[in-house]
Amino acid sequence: MDTTQKSYRFCIEPDAAIATLEAALQVVRRLDIELRALRTTATPYGVEVQMRLSAPEEDILTLCRMRLHNLIGVLPIREMPTLVVNNGLRQAAT
């Protein structure tokens, strides 16, 4: 089955950062999206979050982004470019 993957990057305000992160993960879970990767980094202005998601349809990921945007404490969300690896180059390197 083909899936669509997207990576989102956003910051969470320092007030109640853990609760906001939990709410963001609930959005992902409720939409039945696969969380492929999650990275958080503490910064002086809050918590930076990077998450890679996978879903059967792109519309589900778009809805996820809209719902994340509506959470209190989530700053603007940026979609990160997808890296494409050429398997021929990978095999030549080994």
Side-chain angles (χ1 to χ4, degrees), residues 48-64:
E48 182 179 296
V49 178
Q50 294 180 31
M51 56 174 54
R52 191 174 68 220
L53 306 171
S54 178
E57 297 177 14
E58 187 172 353
D59 291 345
I60 296 170
L61 296 173
T62 302
L63 177 60
C64 177

Side-chain angles (χ1 to χ4, degrees), residues 32-45:
D32 201 26
I33 294 173
E34 182 180 351
L35 179 64
R36 293 273 176 107
L38 176 69
R39 177 182 291 174
T40 59
T41 306
T43 64
Y45 51 86

Side-chain angles (χ1 to χ4, degrees), residues 7-78:
S7 294
Y8 295 137
R9 181 177 174 189
F10 55 92
C11 288
I12 296 176
E13 294 176 348
D15 298 337
I18 298 299
T20 304
L21 180 59
E22 286 177 348
L25 292 173
Q26 285 177 357
V27 167
V28 171
R29 181 181 52 81
R30 287 181 182 146
L31 290 172
D32 201 26
I33 294 173
E34 182 180 351
L35 179 64
R36 293 273 176 107
L38 176 69
R39 177 182 291 174
T40 59
T41 306
T43 64
Y45 51 86
V47 176
E48 182 179 296
V49 178
Q50 294 180 31
M51 56 174 54
R52 191 174 68 220
L53 306 171
S54 178
E57 297 177 14
E58 187 172 353
D59 291 345
I60 296 170
L61 296 173
T62 302
L63 177 60
C64 177
R65 182 176 178 169
M66 291 169 48
R67 288 187 179 175
L68 290 173
H69 178 72
N70 287 331
L71 290 176
I72 295 173
V74 172
L75 300 175
I77 302 167
R78 295 178 297 276

